[in-house]
Each structure stands twice: as C-alpha cells, then as structure tokens.
Amino acid sequence: MQVPSFLGPVIILVLTLIFSICMLSYFLCIKSSARNRSGCSDGRVTTTTPVSLLEVKVTLPVEVICGDKIVVDKYDPRELAQIPKTRLGEGTLGSLFKVVLNCGSIVTIRKIRTELIRGADDLKLWINFFKEIRDEWLLPILFSFWYGGEAYVLYEYMCLGSLEELLHGSEGIQFSPLNWGIRKQIALCAAKAVASIHNQLTKNGEALVCGVIKSSNILIGTDFSACLSSYETPYLVPTSLIIRRNHGRIAPELRHGRNYPKNFTQKSDVYSFGVLLLELITGKRPSMTNLGEYILEKTKKDGLKGIYDMEIGEVKENMIGMARVAQLCVSREPKDRPSMDKVVSLIQGLPE
C-alpha cells in the first residue's frame, strides 16, 4: 500500500516529539539522582547525615611485647597509640610523651624510632629484660606493644617532667630557677640510678651500662626526687648513632681515642654523668658548650666560684665540693674516673 505523501512530514514530526520527550525524561532522571546523592530532594535537606571521617576509627594489628594481664586489661593499646600527647623530652630511642587517658589516668609513653633499632627480636628481648629490674631510682617499664608498624613503651608518670625542662625552660612554660638544694638532691638521685644500672648484669653475665646520661632522660617527681629513663637505649640502638647524636656528653675515648674499643663502658658512663653534674652547676646545655673545657677556662680565670649558674645565688662550700666531684668524673683518662658507687658516696658526703 502506498503511503500518502502528506503523511511523511507528520511521521517525522511525531518521531521528533517522541525523541525529545525521551531525552527530557533522561536528563530529569540524572538531575534527580544528583540531588539525592548530595542529600537534597526538591530543595529540602534530607535527614541522612554523611559519616564524618573523624568518626572512623583506624584499627591496626596489636602485639604485646611485655606486660602482665592486669596491665594489658587496664590499658588499651589503640587508645595509647592514637590519643593526643604532650612531649616531655627527646631521646635517641624515641620521643617521650605525657598522656592523659580517657579514664583520667596519666602515664608516660615513649614512641620508639623503629627505623633505628637493631630488630624486633632485640626489642622484645631487652624490653622484657629491663622490665624485670625494679629500683626506686629507675623509671619502671609497665607495658610495651606494637601497634601496626610502631612500637611503644609505657612508663609511670613523673609529674614535673624532665630535668631538661626544669633547668632550661620549655617553650610556652616559665619555671622558677632550681635552687642549689634541689639540684643537689637531683644529682644524688641520678647518681644512685646510674649506680643501680652498673650493679646489674646481663643474662650473659656482663655489667650493664647506660650509654648516655642526660637531663632529658632524668624525670622529676613532686618532691623533686628523680628517676632515670632510657637506660635500655644502648642495647637497642647502634653505639655509633648514639655517639653521633649526643655531642658534648660522650667520653673522649669514644669520640677520637685509638686505644679503646668504640663501645660504652661504665667509665664512659661516669664521664657522661660528670657532664650532667656540670650542667646542673653551670646551667648551660652540653650541646651548646663543651662543659669540660668551659670549666677549665673559668677555673683558671675566676676559680671554681666563677663557674656557677647565676640563678643559684650565693656559692656555698658543698657547691665547690660538687664541682670537684664533676671534675673527677670528666677526667680525660678512664682509669682516673671513680666508680658510680664512689660518686654516690662523694655526693652524700658533701656538707649540707
């Protein structure tokens, strides 16, 4: 059957209208879908609230390095790892922080620089070893764990922070200068802490060493008693790295001597402790000033009374005695340095 000629344009018009209606419907559907995805419909906000990224809790694998069941049940590793922290000090092994937990407890936690340690097996071995050492002058290890690829060590909290902060101040914090009585007490506590380490033996029967004794690792309690932290460092971090990071506190035989092994000894610890005494006496940072040379120059010019921190006030007899103890400790030859037990006796024997 032949289609009338006038119907051709009509059919084309109808098909065009159908196509236009279909396209319009398609674009309206796309627009409606976009509105729904943005949380809007017909100009009104829907009741569906997108999930905030802050509400998403990251969960990483946890592995306990050391800690009894009571401690493990008390502290949540995920909370310890993620909760905001206040920096107390910086050590070769890692940064030390104050942490206020959600339950209200306050603890000290060190985030280990895992890229510096010798290995995960060494970390577990030595942290467990040092956790068993209990002494009132050593900051106790409570708990240690891996969270993802990061390692943490939990300690008791000492409320006045580090000696470094008390002695030199901290950004945004003002401290009253430490009087000589407090400095002498801290020196005695620190000496007892180092002597305690020196009287311990490894499982192989070797005498323990501290590596470096410095003010950032001396933590202070409310009564100005002091505890030593980071005593595990020389067993986890290469000696060469510790020496490189602690200029001004290292015994000369470790820096440029040829007749001695490049390993920490109890005599090199005594030298490092002597530098700490000089820091307490002069109020100067060892990293900024070679305190051994400074003492020699000042005593030649002004005598022992010329070396003291001006903030201390009047120079007393026991202050001069402490300077002599420090000079013995920083003797150039290791054989001329006293043992730490002897240092404790010398400080205790100073007049009040």
Side-chain angles (χ1 to χ4, degrees):
M1 183 177 67
Q2 187 177 3
V3 178
S5 59
F6 71 88
L7 288 178
V10 174
I11 292 172
I12 293 173
L13 179 61
V14 170
L15 291 175
T16 302
L17 287 172
I18 293 171
F19 178 78
S20 299
I21 292 169
C22 289
M23 291 301 295
L24 180 60
S25 299
Y26 173 75
F27 285 117
L28 288 174
C29 286
I30 291 176
K31 189 173 182 180
S32 176
S33 176
R35 283 180 176 176
N36 289 335
R37 284 197 302 269
S38 65
C40 300
S41 177
D42 298 329
R44 293 175 295 175
V45 177
T46 67
T47 57
T48 303
T49 304
V51 177
S52 169
L53 290 176
L54 296 176
E55 296 173 359
V56 178
K57 290 187 177 180
V58 178
T59 302
L60 297 175
V62 173
E63 179 185 347
V64 173
I65 296 172
C66 73
D68 56 40
K69 188 177 185 303
I70 295 174
V71 173
V72 173
D73 290 342
K74 181 177 180 181
Y75 299 108
D76 178 4
R78 292 176 178 82
E79 180 188 0
L80 289 169
Q82 298 185 69
I83 198 167
K85 303 171 180 64
T86 302
R87 182 183 174 279
L88 294 176
E90 188 73 23
T92 305
L93 187 57
S95 301
L96 200 63
F97 299 94
K98 167 188 172 182
V99 179
V100 181
L101 302 176
N102 291 331
C103 64
S105 298
I106 303 176
V107 294
T108 302
I109 190 168
R110 187 180 298 282
K111 183 179 179 181
I112 303 292
R113 288 194 180 95
T114 50
E115 73 276 11
L116 302 182
I117 63 175
R118 291 168 178 157
D121 290 341
D122 273 359
L123 180 65
K124 185 171 185 178
L125 173 69
W126 286 110
I127 292 296
N128 277 279
F129 172 80
F130 283 108
K131 185 180 183 300
E132 298 305 313
I133 298 178
R134 294 291 175 179
D135 188 285
E136 62 180 313
W137 313 115
L138 302 176
L139 191 68
I141 295 175
L142 301 177
F143 180 34
S144 182
F145 61 93
W146 286 95
Y147 182 69
E150 296 178 332
Y152 296 85
V153 182
L154 187 71
Y155 308 88
E156 287 185 3
Y157 174 65
M158 302 291 280
C159 66
L160 292 184
S162 71
L163 174 60
E164 180 182 45
E165 289 181 319
L166 290 179
L167 197 58
H168 304 296
S170 179
E171 185 177 351
I173 302 175
Q174 294 296 323
F175 290 106
S176 298
L178 295 177
N179 64 43
W180 178 246
I182 290 174
R183 296 187 198 208
K184 180 174 177 288
Q185 179 178 327
I186 291 171
L188 179 59
C189 292
K192 288 180 177 180
V194 179
S196 174
I197 289 291
H198 284 189
N199 289 320
Q200 304 286 339
L201 298 175
T202 68
K203 292 182 178 180
N204 294 329
E206 298 174 355
L208 290 182
V209 296
C210 295
V212 177
I213 299 103
K214 54 185 179 179
S215 56
S216 61
N217 292 335
I218 306 292
L219 302 185
I220 313 298
T222 51
D223 59 351
F224 289 100
S225 60
C227 282
L228 177 67
S229 70
S230 295
Y231 40 84
E232 64 271 39
T233 300
Y235 298 92
L236 296 172
V237 178
T239 301
S240 59
L241 180 63
I242 299 173
I243 292 172
R244 191 164 65 246
R245 287 173 172 262
N246 290 280
H247 178 74
R249 297 182 173 91
I250 300 296
E253 66 269 18
L254 293 175
R255 287 184 277 118
H256 44 67
R258 294 182 179 180
N259 300 323
Y260 299 93
K262 295 290 185 178
N263 292 315
F264 292 112
T265 64
Q266 292 194 346
K267 290 296 187 178
S268 68
D269 280 355
V270 175
Y271 183 96
S272 181
F273 180 79
V275 175
L276 178 73
L277 289 185
L278 294 178
E279 186 176 358
L280 282 165
I281 291 167
T282 64
K284 297 184 180 298
R285 295 179 185 268
S287 57
M288 304 298 291
T289 307
N290 185 317
L291 292 182
E293 293 181 2
Y294 173 80
I295 292 296
L296 288 175
E297 292 175 5
K298 290 292 286 184
T299 50
K300 285 178 182 178
K301 182 179 179 181
D302 305 315
L304 284 174
K305 290 187 178 182
I307 68 175
Y308 292 96
D309 185 355
M310 297 297 291
E311 301 287 353
I312 294 176
E314 181 186 357
V315 177
K316 299 179 181 178
E317 182 183 350
N318 63 6
M319 296 165 67
I320 297 173
M322 187 73 81
R324 292 197 176 105
V325 174
Q327 286 181 313
L328 282 175
C329 291
V330 297
S331 297
R332 187 165 187 82
E333 291 297 325
K335 62 182 177 59
D336 295 332
R337 301 169 199 156
S339 69
M340 282 308 302
D341 283 333
K342 179 64 175 177
V343 171
V344 170
S345 298
L346 291 172
I347 294 176
Q348 288 176 326
L350 294 176
E352 294 297 329

